[in-house]
Amino acid sequence: MMVPLDPCNKPTSQRRITEGDTVVVYERHDSMRAVTVSAAGVLQNRFGVFRHADWLGRHFGSKVFSSGGVGGKGGRKAGGGFVHLLAPTPELWTLVLSHRTQILYIADISLVVAYLELVPGCVVLESGTGSGSLTTSLARAVAPHGRVYTFDFHDQRADSAREDFEKNGLSSLITVAVRDIQGQGFPDEYSGAADAVFLDLPQPWLAIPSAGTMLRQDGVLCSFSPCIEQVQRACETMRSCFTDIRTFEILLRTYEVHEGALKSATVNEASSEGCSLPGKKRKIRSAGEALDSTQTSSVIARPCSTARGHTGYLTFARKSVQGSQTGAAEVCPTS
């Protein structure tokens, strides 16, 4: 189970792997995959052949070696590669899930969860379930007594997302429904019941009036849009019944940290320091003459050669209340 619902139960990371568990197989920092464990299952990758039967009974986080080769010290298989068996978390699930649509990644998700002010017990409405990347993190934020109601207009995408949530033990936290929120708005049964609303729609301004009706007083709305023109039009609509409107763009820069050798040349030190003796010509090295050098080991940090650029804009707004002295709440216009 990705999110423990009973405080008495051990977190997944502290359990031993059993048949039917979902395991995130960590091959390297840029290569992971989700695998459902079965006694007869076999995983083959560039690091070797791994039998699921060897995983059963091990703790999540274990390092396992491939089945090929001759046994070595500590159970290690000489000449074989290895992988780590990680417990699934919302962050890891974002990296290994099947992409049915473009998804939100960890940097954007973390800002969404923080600015929506989600705590256990909150009720969240989401339009645009997609691949379920954000939905999984929303569920963990409101667990164990909160609820996420997510809507998608595409039947097959909704069914696939529902299967993923059931497999990850999130069915008690997430309800998936098929509905065109842009055209129909959110169901009336959630009116005034939502602590937060998230929109990932091509025309979010069509759903903003309905979102305002669903939110409790002082509730927070977030809209994700890839284009600034969408943001501008959405903000115009928000101004009628929202306040504290802010838009963010996150550009994440990742660094590589590794140990490497640094070389320092020692030939013609006097010349290299710019203090050549008067009356003498600089010695010219022949083509075959090698530099005298020393190597020192050092930890090197540098930006990754490939980095994810623009993903989208996140616009947040808080539902405003007019006439607070008389208790009359503002109603968002529907057109």
Side-chain angles (χ1 to χ4, degrees), residues 9-221:
N9 293 337
K10 289 184 178 181
T12 302
S13 59
Q14 297 179 16
R15 291 195 300 104
R16 293 181 183 271
I17 298 172
T18 60
E19 188 163 4
D21 282 342
T22 297
V23 173
V24 176
V25 179
Y26 181 98
E27 300 174 354
R28 45 178 290 166
H29 73 280
D30 58 354
S31 179
M32 287 177 273
R33 67 180 76 188
V35 176
T36 301
V37 180
S38 63
V42 176
L43 169 67
Q44 297 187 44
N45 59 19
R46 55 184 168 177
F47 299 108
V49 178
F50 301 87
R51 296 193 300 267
H52 293 195
D54 297 335
W55 303 354
L56 297 175
R58 291 179 178 267
H59 285 288
F60 281 98
S62 296
K63 180 179 182 179
V64 296
F65 292 87
S66 63
S67 302
V70 181
K73 293 183 179 180
R76 177 168 180 169
K77 305 296 184 179
F82 63 87
V83 297
H84 289 86
L85 307 178
L86 306 182
T89 64
E91 292 79 10
L92 291 177
W93 187 250
T94 291
L95 301 176
V96 300
L97 57 75
S98 299
H99 286 210
R100 295 178 287 272
T101 59
Q102 181 65 32
I103 68 170
L104 266 70
Y105 288 92
I106 297 170
D108 290 324
I109 291 174
S110 61
L111 194 72
V112 170
V113 172
Y115 271 80
L116 288 183
E117 301 172 358
L118 300 181
V119 296
C122 282
V123 174
V124 184
L125 302 183
E126 179 193 24
S127 179
T129 309
S131 302
S133 173
L134 174 64
T135 316
T136 303
S137 290
L138 295 178
R140 182 180 60 182
V142 304
H145 305 301
R147 194 79 184 183
V148 178
Y149 298 94
T150 182
F151 303 87
D152 202 294
F153 74 94
H154 195 279
D155 290 346
Q156 187 174 357
R157 278 206 300 262
D159 290 340
S160 298
R162 189 180 295 107
E163 291 175 4
D164 285 345
F165 299 146
E166 290 176 355
K167 180 173 63 175
N168 290 325
L170 300 175
S171 297
S172 62
L173 296 170
I174 303 173
T175 299
V176 184
V178 178
R179 188 178 177 92
D180 179 10
I181 299 300
Q182 284 189 173
Q184 300 174 277
F186 290 99
D188 293 337
E189 61 188 282
Y190 304 118
S191 180
D195 298 288
V197 174
F198 179 84
L199 303 176
D200 184 358
L201 301 169
Q203 296 176 297
W205 53 88
L206 298 178
I208 288 173
S210 175
T213 304
M214 300 300 113
L215 283 169
R216 302 178 191 269
Q217 294 184 11
D218 204 38
V220 183
L221 167 68

Side-chain angles (χ1 to χ4, degrees), residues 232-296:
Q232 291 172 335
R233 190 161 178 182
C235 289
E236 291 175 0
T237 306
M238 289 178 184
R239 293 179 61 185
S240 62
C241 56
F242 288 89
T243 186
D244 192 22
I245 303 172
R246 299 188 249 179
T247 297
F248 300 90
E249 179 188 20
I250 298 179
L251 299 176
L252 189 65
R253 190 176 190 183
T254 304
Y255 276 72
E256 296 175 344
V257 180
H258 59 90
E259 187 174 358
L262 296 178
K263 294 183 178 181
S264 57
T266 60
V267 170
N268 294 332
E269 289 182 350
S271 299
S272 65
E273 293 175 1
C275 54
S276 55
L277 297 176
K280 290 192 175 183
K281 295 182 179 180
R282 178 180 296 179
K283 180 181 178 182
I284 306 299
R285 282 192 303 115
S286 62
E289 185 180 353
L291 279 172
D292 295 331
S293 61
T294 59
Q295 288 189 352
T296 58

